[in-house]
Amino acid sequence: MEFNEINERDAAELGAIVAPQRISCGESSCALHSKDQSSHRAYVPGAVIWPLSAEEVAKIVSYACDRLMPVTAWGMGSSLEGNPIPVCGGIVLDFSMMNRVLAIRHEDFQADLEPGVIYQDLNETLRHQGLFFPPDPGARATIGGMIGNNASGSRTVRYGATRDHIMRLKVVLADGEIIEIGNRASKSSSGYDLVHIFVGSEGTLGIVVEATVKLTPIPAEFSAAVASFPSAEEAASAVFGIRRAGLDPVALEFLSPECMELVSREQGISIASGPAVFAEFAGPSASYLAETVVYAEEICRENGSLKYEAGIGRDRRDKLFRARHSLGEMIIRSHPDRKIMTTDVAVPISMFPSMIAFADAESRKTSLPRYLFSHAGDGNIHLVVLGRKDRESEIRTVEELNSRIVMKAIELGGTATGEHGVGIGKRIFMEREHGKSLEWMRRIKGLFDPKGILNPGKIFP
Amino acid sequence: MEFNEINERDAAELGAIVAPQRISCGESSCALHSKDQSSHRAYVPGAVIWPLSAEEVAKIVSYACDRLMPVTAWGMGSSLEGNPIPVCGGIVLDFSMMNRVLAIRHEDFQADLEPGVIYQDLNETLRHQGLFFPPDPGARATIGGMIGNNASGSRTVRYGATRDHIMRLKVVLADGEIIEIGNRASKSSSGYDLVHIFVGSEGTLGIVVEATVKLTPIPAEFSAAVASFPSAEEAASAVFGIRRAGLDPVALEFLSPECMELVSREQGISIASGPAVFAEFAGPSASYLAETVVYAEEICRENGSLKYEAGIGRDRRDKLFRARHSLGEMIIRSHPDRKIMTTDVAVPISMFPSMIAFADAESRKTSLPRYLFSHAGDGNIHLVVLGRKDRESEIRTVEELNSRIVMKAIELGGTATGEHGVGIGKRIFMEREHGKSLEWMRRIKGLFDPKGILNPGKIFP
């Protein structure tokens, strides 16, 4: 696909659509929107625009469609697979100024949001009403980015992914048409489910300019526990045991010894040496939780746990969660000379112990620094193995390892990406994962975006 | 669209694909597949075929595509909106012989099913493993029909609709291609969500030949309660109060006095006169449930309940559920000379009291026999008003009433159909509900089924 570059006249016309101060072709703005938190290389856009309304977005996209220019939506740039990197240049739409909470209808457990709302800020607002928006990717992500990516995180094991919380969307399509899809009823069998085509489409089919999301009551009581194990595989078996028993944790995380050391060193949280499982339970009463935690302990002991620390209070739990959420950043900081590549496979939970064992053994063979961590309750595994940026052979080793792990996950009935999206890095696995249905994804792309201007260079190999 | 009729040669060739005894062009077979449980008129297909495998389905559809013949999938014919009526004739694929449970992976909370599996039979099998497939439309529906319709029912308030329980599908497309979509991991951000395009598409985009469904542990304890109220609106306010309080019932049903009388007369279950709310709660322990039931009682009293009967045991609960599930059939039996038209709107729960009040008042004006009942916790309302089949003016009155109720629901942010699907009867409301996005549904139909052979005459006006 040949795109046009943004010239001075384009910049002036686009500036007239928004306001001159809400478009920038300057070096620093463009550099700031040239890469996300992944290690994928930067591509500098031609212009960054900060829209204020659906109508502005529609006009910009319509202009870009006429002039054959790429348009890439941008939330916080916190994604991990190059999803919003403008690899073909063009316009980046930064949604940070479209960040209004339009309505909270607490009685319906719903909120109407602009895409630039940051989910932690939303949850801070909702806290006083006893509600929250459950998907939690950890990073300071925007709702728009989360929808684009079908983001999920440590609470997904109980509450589902972003996909499960989107009721209605307003979307700007590739020619600038605005459509509304879905509705506010808690269920519907009316026509085709367009909402879920857009959720997880990484801005390649349309640009979300408003969303109605489903909220959830905050449970009355929480209780957390940490258990350590002699091996990763035993820890993984305990995770499987907890899920199989139907204990319904709100978080069930796995951390390798290297992660535990890093957390201990950087955050001064010392819990367990060996591979560890962090479990959190929530429920209507303390007595119910006490039972659950005891049951979880039994399962951990049966799987060889060395230490089980239960009854972790809210402060320590919050600290642990923050540490878990900043693990990626800590790894980056600790290894400035190394390239970060994160696997993000997910497998059916029964396959989790063998998947963890495989990832553990294979990564060990490389002798490179490595961190294995996992939203274990979902069977979602992240492995970071670090090759030096200037050692081509190490980078190749890591890439080959990543590839073997993805292939294994697909073979076990799983997926190449549990939550980071396809972006740039997972495109090479799409054929393998989806087979003939990839062609149907391409056709849907062709239907909604025949000129291919929306976030080009993503998802498809 | 001009379709070809099935001639003798077609019948012979189709018979060679399956086996001569698994195709019938006979009058009785065709009549049995000419109408569902709705009042929509019958259309007789050219042939009924009972496939045994995905490959047979693919060959039949491929043949039909070449010869330009409609193909309509058939589960049990229990739908209520004409969804599987072969309005353009052609081939009906009856899935009753493709009814194998291919695998139950209890450790993953998943089952692989052929489309002809009946969900009650599945749940009977699963009971011994402490698991169940939650969506419960009530009728003896097949999994294939439930997927086609995105079926839901009285447990949806807690567990979601069929849509929320489908992980993976094998689908035969309009030219006979077989694709597999989705995977068995509990989450994925890999490419476009094709699974949810097919769920609820009423067999107009492809024919489901295998599904991996998500299962749920059966809660340890249940407790049910029935409350009666002076008016429908007060009952509806109590429903809203229970939802708003976050009590998370597993069922929350509303029944008008006419329904209560019918249940009492036909099933000998006497509970309450007046408008009633039936609530069921489930949880990990009896003590937790006791608290919940007391809280629910307070909410009912605040909303003027006249009588509150709590602690209903399993036998009586099962009896009540069976009565609720057979309400539709009881109404049909009690009024053989009248036409059954069922509204199926759903609105956001905060709008439920005004929607119920509107439906109650408007239907009362007609002076025709009427039954108002509702999966109230979902804001999903069924109203049956019965005009005599031979009185055109009464039928028109009912149609106009139905139309006013649907328009009102859409105006309140809701939907024309909560669970019965669009089928034939709700097509006229699609423009109003979906606006411009209806055109995108048409385009998706055009993409997947360019010749329009799959269940023609449905969904689109």
Side-chain angles (χ1 to χ4, degrees):
Chain A
M1 189 69 71
E2 284 291 310
F3 295 109
N4 291 314
E5 289 193 13
I6 298 173
N7 59 33
E8 272 181 40
R9 205 185 129 195
D10 294 320
E13 298 219 14
L14 289 164
I17 291 172
V18 286
Q21 68 274 24
R22 287 195 281 109
I23 178 169
S24 171
C25 301
E27 210 173 303
S28 89
S29 296
C30 288
L32 279 169
H33 294 82
S34 68
K35 90 189 258 15
D36 61 358
Q37 284 185 25
S38 71
S39 285
H40 293 292
R41 63 158 283 208
Y43 287 85
V44 178
V48 181
I49 298 175
W50 289 263
L52 280 181
S53 68
E55 290 65 33
E56 283 188 358
V57 173
K59 283 181 192 159
I60 294 161
V61 174
S62 168
Y63 185 90
C65 180
D66 289 345
R67 289 274 293 119
L68 210 59
M69 290 170 171
V71 181
T72 302
W74 185 276
M76 284 290 279
S78 59
S79 53
L80 296 168
E81 206 50 271
N83 321 61
I85 293 179
V87 297
C88 301
I91 299 165
V92 164
L93 285 176
D94 182 317
F95 279 96
S96 57
M97 295 177 79
M98 267 179 83
N99 65 344
R100 289 177 301 167
V101 173
L102 300 170
I104 293 175
R105 288 188 304 285
H106 59 93
E107 68 276 28
D108 284 322
F109 302 97
Q110 291 174 18
D112 294 344
L113 308 170
E114 286 188 330
V117 170
I118 290 164
Y119 86 95
Q120 286 111 326
D121 297 348
L122 172 68
N123 281 341
E124 194 49 39
T125 307
L126 290 170
R127 204 161 51 88
H128 309 288
Q129 310 195 34
L131 295 171
F132 75 123
F133 177 66
D136 64 331
R140 274 187 69 73
T142 62
I143 295 292
M146 289 174 72
I147 292 170
N149 236 36
N150 182 30
S152 56
S154 39
R155 301 208 177 285
T156 295
V157 60
R158 166 96 154 236
Y159 295 106
T162 301
R163 171 184 297 158
D164 304 305
H165 294 84
I166 307 300
M167 310 188 72
R168 182 191 144 270
L169 292 174
K170 192 187 275 189
V171 183
V172 172
L173 299 177
D175 63 353
E177 182 184 358
I178 301 176
I179 59 169
E180 286 192 49
I181 53 183
N183 62 65
R184 293 190 171 97
S186 70
K187 67 186 208 185
S188 175
S189 288
S190 182
Y192 303 152
D193 182 351
L194 297 181
V195 169
H196 289 92
I197 303 179
F198 286 96
V199 178
S201 67
E202 303 187 18
T204 63
L205 297 179
I207 294 178
V208 170
V209 288
E210 190 183 311
T212 298
V213 306
K214 205 186 291 181
L215 308 172
T216 299
I218 300 174
E221 303 283 342
F222 285 90
S223 185
V226 178
S228 62
F229 295 84
S231 73
E233 202 175 350
E234 281 158 300
S237 291
V239 164
F240 173 49
I242 289 170
R243 288 286 284 135
R244 184 179 42 187
L247 292 189
D248 204 14
V250 290
L252 193 51
E253 300 282 309
F254 165 85
L255 296 159
S256 74
E258 297 80 9
C259 298
M260 297 306 281
E261 273 163 38
L262 191 64
V263 165
S264 158
R265 195 168 69 236
E266 296 249 329
Q267 311 253 332
I269 307 174
S270 171
I271 305 164
S273 42
V277 170
F278 174 61
E280 191 180 21
F281 300 96
S285 70
S287 60
Y288 162 64
L289 281 187
E291 272 175 55
T292 307
V293 169
V294 167
Y295 194 0
E297 179 167 8
E298 267 173 44
I299 294 168
C300 288
R301 294 232 181 278
E302 277 166 21
N303 288 282
S305 74
L306 303 169
K307 201 179 151 188
Y308 186 85
E309 183 191 351
I312 293 171
R314 192 172 287 258
D315 276 4
R316 198 161 150 81
R317 175 200 76 160
D318 289 349
K319 225 173 150 184
L320 273 167
F321 257 108
R322 272 197 301 275
R324 166 64 190 85
H325 279 153
S326 52
L327 205 50
E329 285 166 40
M330 285 191 270
I331 294 170
I332 295 172
R333 269 204 311 276
S334 308
H335 303 278
D337 61 329
R338 290 175 187 262
K339 185 174 171 181
I340 307 292
M341 181 182 256
T342 311
T343 69
D344 173 40
V345 296
V347 294
I349 195 69
S350 64
M351 300 298 167
F352 183 67
S354 38
M355 191 68 226
I356 278 280
F358 182 83
D360 191 44
E362 291 290 308
S363 60
R364 209 180 284 273
K365 284 182 199 161
T366 65
S367 309
L368 293 168
R370 56 183 205 114
Y371 297 88
L372 184 59
F373 50 105
S374 165
H375 299 308
D378 294 321
N380 182 200
I381 296 171
H382 301 309
L383 170 67
V384 180
V385 178
L386 299 144
R388 273 165 288 199
K389 284 174 182 166
D390 56 2
R391 295 281 174 91
E392 216 179 285
S393 69
E394 289 187 8
I395 302 298
R396 210 169 37 244
T397 297
V398 174
E399 281 171 0
E400 282 165 10
L401 171 64
N402 182 42
S403 186
R404 278 202 302 286
I405 289 173
V406 172
M407 293 306 188
K408 181 79 176 177
I410 293 171
E411 189 190 310
L412 295 175
T415 177
T417 165
E419 57 181 20
H420 295 172
V422 181
I424 294 168
K426 294 298 186 299
R427 290 177 302 157
I428 51 168
F429 304 111
M430 289 301 98
E431 194 89 44
R432 177 62 178 263
E433 178 169 346
H434 298 294
K436 287 190 293 176
S437 67
L438 183 64
E439 195 47 40
W440 286 99
M441 294 186 194
R442 265 191 234 277
R443 287 175 190 149
I444 286 172
K445 169 72 176 173
L447 181 68
F448 280 97
D449 182 19
K451 293 182 177 178
I453 62 163
L454 296 176
N455 200 8
K458 308 300 162 59
I459 297 184
F460 298 102
Chain B
M1 188 68 74
E2 284 290 311
F3 295 109
N4 291 313
E5 290 195 12
I6 298 172
N7 59 32
E8 272 181 40
R9 208 185 126 192
D10 294 320
E13 298 220 12
L14 289 164
I17 292 171
V18 287
Q21 70 274 24
R22 287 194 281 108
I23 178 168
S24 170
C25 302
E27 209 174 305
S28 91
S29 297
C30 289
L32 279 170
H33 294 82
S34 68
K35 96 187 254 18
D36 61 359
Q37 284 185 23
S38 71
S39 285
H40 294 292
R41 64 159 278 209
Y43 288 85
V44 178
V48 180
I49 299 175
W50 289 263
L52 280 183
S53 68
E55 290 64 35
E56 282 187 359
V57 174
K59 283 182 193 158
I60 294 161
V61 174
S62 166
Y63 185 90
C65 180
D66 289 344
R67 287 277 292 121
L68 210 59
M69 289 170 173
V71 181
T72 301
W74 186 277
M76 283 291 278
S78 59
S79 52
L80 297 169
E81 206 48 274
N83 321 61
I85 294 179
V87 296
C88 300
I91 298 164
V92 163
L93 285 176
D94 181 316
F95 280 97
S96 57
M97 294 177 82
M98 266 178 84
N99 66 345
R100 288 176 302 165
V101 173
L102 300 169
I104 294 175
R105 286 188 306 286
H106 60 93
E107 67 276 26
D108 285 322
F109 302 95
Q110 291 173 18
D112 294 344
L113 307 170
E114 285 188 332
V117 169
I118 290 164
Y119 85 96
Q120 287 110 325
D121 296 347
L122 172 67
N123 280 341
E124 195 48 40
T125 306
L126 290 169
R127 204 160 52 88
H128 309 286
Q129 311 195 32
L131 295 172
F132 75 122
F133 177 65
D136 64 332
R140 276 187 69 74
T142 61
I143 294 293
M146 290 176 72
I147 293 171
N149 236 35
N150 183 31
S152 56
S154 40
R155 301 208 176 284
T156 295
V157 60
R158 166 96 154 238
Y159 296 105
T162 301
R163 170 185 296 158
D164 304 304
H165 296 84
I166 307 299
M167 312 188 70
R168 183 189 144 271
L169 292 175
K170 191 187 274 189
V171 184
V172 171
L173 299 178
D175 64 352
E177 183 185 358
I178 302 175
I179 60 169
E180 287 192 51
I181 54 184
N183 61 66
R184 294 190 170 98
S186 70
K187 68 186 207 187
S188 175
S189 287
S190 183
Y192 303 152
D193 183 350
L194 298 181
V195 169
H196 289 92
I197 303 179
F198 286 96
V199 178
S201 68
E202 303 186 20
T204 64
L205 297 178
I207 293 176
V208 170
V209 288
E210 189 182 311
T212 298
V213 306
K214 206 188 289 181
L215 308 173
T216 299
I218 299 173
E221 302 284 342
F222 285 90
S223 185
V226 178
S228 61
F229 294 84
S231 73
E233 203 175 352
E234 282 159 300
S237 291
V239 164
F240 173 48
I242 289 170
R243 288 285 286 137
R244 185 179 43 188
L247 292 189
D248 205 14
V250 291
L252 191 52
E253 301 281 312
F254 165 84
L255 295 160
S256 74
E258 297 80 9
C259 298
M260 297 305 282
E261 273 163 40
L262 192 62
V263 166
S264 158
R265 195 169 68 235
E266 294 251 330
Q267 310 253 333
I269 306 176
S270 172
I271 305 163
S273 45
V277 170
F278 174 62
E280 189 180 22
F281 301 95
S285 70
S287 60
Y288 162 65
L289 280 187
E291 273 175 54
T292 307
V293 169
V294 167
Y295 194 0
E297 178 167 8
E298 269 174 41
I299 294 168
C300 287
R301 293 236 180 275
E302 278 166 22
N303 287 283
S305 73
L306 303 170
K307 200 179 154 190
Y308 186 87
E309 183 192 349
I312 293 170
R314 191 172 288 260
D315 275 3
R316 197 159 151 80
R317 176 200 75 159
D318 289 349
K319 224 173 153 185
L320 273 166
F321 259 107
R322 271 196 302 274
R324 166 64 191 84
H325 280 154
S326 52
L327 204 50
E329 283 166 42
M330 283 192 272
I331 294 172
I332 295 172
R333 267 203 314 272
S334 305
H335 303 278
D337 60 329
R338 289 174 188 261
K339 186 176 169 179
I340 307 292
M341 180 182 258
T342 311
T343 70
D344 173 42
V345 296
V347 294
I349 193 71
S350 65
M351 301 298 166
F352 182 66
S354 38
M355 191 68 225
I356 277 281
F358 182 83
D360 189 43
E362 291 290 309
S363 60
R364 208 178 286 273
K365 285 182 199 161
T366 65
S367 310
L368 293 168
R370 58 186 203 111
Y371 298 88
L372 184 59
F373 49 105
S374 166
H375 300 308
D378 294 321
N380 182 199
I381 296 171
H382 300 310
L383 170 67
V384 180
V385 178
L386 299 146
R388 274 166 285 200
K389 284 176 184 166
D390 55 1
R391 295 282 174 93
E392 217 178 285
S393 68
E394 290 186 8
I395 302 299
R396 213 169 35 243
T397 298
V398 174
E399 281 171 358
E400 282 164 9
L401 172 64
N402 181 43
S403 186
R404 279 202 302 287
I405 289 173
V406 172
M407 293 306 187
K408 182 78 175 177
I410 294 171
E411 190 191 310
L412 296 175
T415 180
T417 164
E419 57 180 21
H420 295 172
V422 181
I424 295 167
K426 293 298 185 299
R427 290 177 303 156
I428 51 168
F429 304 111
M430 290 301 97
E431 194 90 44
R432 176 64 176 263
E433 177 168 346
H434 298 294
K436 288 189 295 179
S437 67
L438 183 64
E439 195 47 41
W440 286 99
M441 293 184 194
R442 266 190 233 278
R443 288 177 187 146
I444 287 172
K445 169 71 177 175
L447 182 67
F448 281 97
D449 182 20
K451 294 183 177 178
I453 62 163
L454 296 176
N455 201 6
K458 307 302 162 60
I459 296 184
F460 299 101

